Amino acid sequence: MTQIIPNLSIIVAADSKNGIGIKNTLPWHLSDDLKRFRAITTGHTIIMGRNTWFSLPKRPLPDRRSVVLTPDPLGEEGATETSTLSEVLEICKNDSENFIIGGESMYSQFLQYASKIYLTRVVGNFDTDTFFPELSSDDWSLDEESEVMTDSKSGIQYRYLTLSRKG
Ligand SMILES: NC(=O)c1ccc[n+]([C@@H]2O[C@H](COP(=O)([O-])OP(=O)(O)OC[C@H]3O[C@@H](n4cnc5c(N)ncnc54)[C@H](OP(=O)(O)O)[C@@H]3O)[C@@H](O)[C@H]2O)c1
């Protein structure tokens, strides 16, 4: 049985069909969601795949420890590089909360270990080529759900959900 890691969380924004990205970028721009991401992750360890690292316009993200899973050297400063899942799990021992921040390959590998999910549910079906895994209600319970909000620039609607692992 997979070991659940109490201080490993996932943070993700996904549309109604679990789409998360397109051509190595985000399908939407939600200013409040980016602020929320910063507020939740600041001071902690953020763990991402190679593609997500290179998708960041300014990297590393300030005031956070970046860990990148990559088969090849990044050739850039600012991140702890690793090529094994077990090393990532070892690194998690050093922080009170660690966040898997994407992308698809990372969510699919680490969902089984995570204890908490900060999910921004973006209303609608966007053009996407990467996806978040389906969540089973056998495994996850809903702790909090915000009202639906509307981004003032794009009109895109979204809400914040917090889920925790059952049992
Ligand atoms: N909506 C959101 O919240 C959100 C958040 C973050 C990212 N995104 C989006 O997600 C998309 C990127 O997702 P993605 O799946 O293409 O990329 P990704 O997960 O960011 O990175 C994949 C890369 O990481 C490497 N990697 C992953 N696991 C590894 C392991 N166990 N060992 C060694 N290397 C490993 C892969 O190497 P290999 O070559 O070995 O496969 C591959 O090069 C982008 O569109 C991005 O904008 C969305």
Side-chain angles (χ1 to χ4, degrees):
M1 208 180 127
T2 304
Q3 190 197 346
I4 306 304
I5 300 183
N7 58 348
L8 184 64
S9 301
I10 280 178
I11 187 161
V12 61
D15 76 6
S16 304
K17 288 192 170 167
N18 277 348
I20 62 163
I22 178 79
K23 297 186 175 131
N24 212 34
T25 184
L26 295 175
W28 42 74
H29 180 83
L30 297 172
S31 169
D32 272 357
D33 187 43
L34 296 176
K35 284 185 195 134
R36 179 174 181 265
F37 174 88
R38 188 175 63 208
I40 290 172
T41 58
T42 288
H44 291 291
T45 303
I46 52 173
I47 303 158
M48 69 201 90
R50 178 185 177 86
N51 296 347
T52 295
W53 169 260
F54 284 110
S55 79
L56 299 173
K58 272 179 102 181
R59 50 188 187 263
L61 294 177
D63 307 320
R64 280 149 281 192
R65 177 186 187 194
S66 294
V67 175
V68 180
L69 253 172
T70 175
D72 307 307
L74 296 175
E76 294 184 358
E77 303 280 305
T80 300
E81 298 176 32
T82 170
S83 60
T84 69
L85 215 120
S86 56
E87 201 180 339
V88 171
L89 300 179
E90 198 57 33
I91 286 169
C92 287
K93 291 179 181 165
N94 302 325
D95 200 345
S96 58
E97 192 166 11
N98 302 272
F99 295 90
I100 301 295
I101 68 157
E104 176 183 293
S105 81
M106 297 295 286
Y107 294 136
S108 61
Q109 291 176 86
F110 286 94
L111 178 63
Q112 60 183 323
Y113 300 104
S115 296
K116 188 168 181 177
I117 302 174
Y118 300 85
L119 168 65
T120 302
R121 181 63 79 190
V122 184
V123 178
N125 299 322
F126 290 73
D127 187 14
T128 57
D129 58 15
T130 38
F131 294 86
F132 189 71
E134 283 298 324
L135 294 176
S136 165
S137 56
D138 292 344
D139 296 334
W140 296 96
S141 55
L142 183 63
D143 292 342
E144 288 171 56
E145 180 171 10
S146 75
E147 60 185 20
V148 175
M149 290 163 285
T150 304
D151 180 69
S152 57
K153 274 197 178 154
S154 61
I156 293 171
Q157 293 190 309
Y158 58 97
R159 66 185 197 281
Y160 299 129
L161 312 176
T162 311
L163 302 104
S164 59
R165 186 172 289 279
K166 283 185 178 169

